Amino acid sequence: TRRVLSLLLVLSVLGVPAFAQAPAVVHPFDGVGAGTPAAGLALAADGFLYGTTEAPAPHGAVFRVRPDGTGFAVLHAFASGEGVVPGHGALARGPDGVFYGTTRRGGADDRGTVYRLEVGPGGASVTTLHTFVAPDGDPDSGVILASDGLLYGTFGDDVTSAAPDIAQTRFI
């Protein structure tokens, strides 16, 4: 069986009262090619929705699409050293328009990474900001950018305990 996942447009965001009509499929994902959506979406100043996918592209990817479904593009496919399987939280957008996110695996110790995604006219570039090493790592979510200029996120600590921790760091 082929499992079809779809990116849905929430109509109430566009001024249409909630439940006035059924949500419309904006872009279908079939689990191949761009992969399977992994988290929520971030709306950027350029009008695009940005999100991440899990495998198979081959280690997850970052995509963008306009709210009307046009302009879909895979902006970056992750390589193992950068991180594998983007986190399950939406990308966080910084004040300078750059995005921040996490991967659940990959990096130097295969415990995940924090990355910066910059999108420009020539495409997108990813910079690894932090690679988790044991006993820390396995980010459970994306990150948020707080008013104090720090990125916050949760990560597992499956080497020493089963309880997740909250991390903070300054990358920008």
Side-chain angles (χ1 to χ4, degrees):
T1 61
R2 187 173 122 174
R3 186 173 158 203
V4 176
L5 297 173
S6 301
L7 175 67
L8 297 177
L9 174 63
V10 178
L11 299 171
S12 62
V13 172
L14 300 176
V16 176
F19 306 110
Q21 68 186 86
V25 174
V26 172
H27 180 81
F29 288 87
D30 62 5
V32 296
T36 303
L41 300 170
L43 178 62
D46 64 5
F48 279 92
L49 300 168
Y50 289 79
T52 59
T53 66
E54 294 183 335
H59 300 295
V62 178
F63 68 89
R64 77 176 181 186
V65 64
R66 287 187 184 97
D68 67 3
T70 63
F72 177 84
V74 173
L75 300 175
H76 182 78
F78 287 92
S80 184
E82 299 172 316
V84 178
V85 187
H88 286 176
L91 295 166
R93 198 178 80 159
D96 53 358
V98 220
F99 292 100
Y100 298 89
T102 61
T103 64
R104 294 174 53 213
R105 292 281 182 235
D109 203 18
D110 197 31
R111 303 212 24 107
T113 64
V114 177
Y115 64 90
R116 170 189 165 114
L117 171 76
E118 191 164 354
V119 180
S125 64
V126 167
T127 304
T128 301
L129 301 174
H130 179 75
T131 297
F132 290 99
V133 294
D136 297 328
D138 300 328
D140 296 322
S141 66
V143 291
I144 61 165
L145 179 62
S147 61
D148 61 6
L150 297 176
L151 293 172
Y152 290 85
T154 61
F155 61 90
D157 186 2
D158 60 15
V159 173
T160 59
S161 74
D165 297 316
I166 295 176
Q168 73 174 32
T169 192
R170 183 178 303 278
F171 291 118
I172 58 174

